Amino acid sequence: FLIVGSQNFEPASFGSSDADYDLAEYSLGVDNQAAAQEFDSYFDGLWSDGKPIAFVGASIQSAVDQAAPGAIIVVPAGNYVETVTINKPLTIVGLAGAVVGPTAPRPGVPPAFRITSSDVIIKHLTIRGTKIVLEDVSPNSLVNVRIHNVVFENMDSEGILVQGRIPGSPIH
């Protein structure tokens, strides 16, 4: 017995390239545990292109610290008040209701994210009352830094601060 349902999404909400369609939802009901595990394992590998997937617990920074370069980190719904330093290639994907930043803006709030590595993607998050800093600390410039479908709320200054050489636009 198998039931598969697909959530229909408006393609424009995922960006302009096929690589942006990575958050489609599917439901599965199977009366055979072994078949369900095989199906799950197969599709997990397709979804992540073989990249390890980590889910955030209490801290995004903790997940980043423990993740292997190239991993996908999934941020569940919740409010995360922390500065996350990303110093290796990673993808951070927020689920509905994932918010990074203080509950109310205040002067001198540190950034939500400080990105010091190339090949970083942040998408589908809400940044509240703070910013994202792209900081080139290497002898080379940062490349392939992408910020997709990120909403900035309650801002009293810039949303994205670029420090150093960042060729091309990282904002979509």
Side-chain angles (χ1 to χ4, degrees):
F1 176 72
L2 174 68
I3 301 171
V4 177
S6 165
Q7 176 70 43
N8 294 320
F9 290 105
E10 171 60 37
S13 66
F14 287 101
S16 59
S17 72
D18 289 339
D20 293 329
Y21 294 98
D22 63 354
L23 291 178
E25 291 181 11
Y26 296 93
S27 300
L28 169 68
V30 178
D31 65 354
N32 180 311
Q33 178 109 12
Q37 288 173 337
E38 181 179 347
F39 184 90
D40 191 40
S41 175
Y42 175 76
F43 281 98
D44 276 349
L46 287 179
W47 180 72
S48 68
D49 289 334
K51 296 177 182 175
I53 299 174
F55 286 86
V56 170
S59 164
I60 300 170
Q61 185 66 62
S62 178
V64 166
D65 292 344
Q66 295 174 26
I72 297 170
I73 296 175
V74 179
V75 182
N79 193 47
Y80 302 86
V81 181
E82 60 183 309
T83 295
V84 180
T85 298
I86 302 174
N87 57 5
K88 56 188 155 189
L90 291 174
T91 297
I92 310 278
V93 180
L95 300 180
V99 179
V100 182
T103 54
R106 57 185 193 268
V109 173
F113 290 94
R114 182 174 164 265
I115 301 170
T116 62
S117 173
S118 293
D119 300 313
V120 172
I121 299 171
I122 296 179
K123 56 185 170 179
H124 307 295
L125 283 170
T126 297
I127 307 296
R128 183 176 292 144
T130 187
K131 62 186 164 246
I132 294 175
V133 174
L134 306 179
E135 186 177 347
D136 183 10
V137 296
S138 70
N140 304 314
S141 59
L142 294 181
V143 294
N144 297 325
V145 175
R146 299 285 178 235
I147 300 168
H148 295 276
N149 299 322
V150 171
V151 175
F152 291 89
E153 294 181 346
N154 300 334
M155 303 302 295
D156 61 358
S157 66
E158 69 278 341
I160 299 174
L161 176 61
V162 178
Q163 298 176 328
R165 292 179 10 125
I166 317 289
S169 174
I171 304 153
H172 295 277

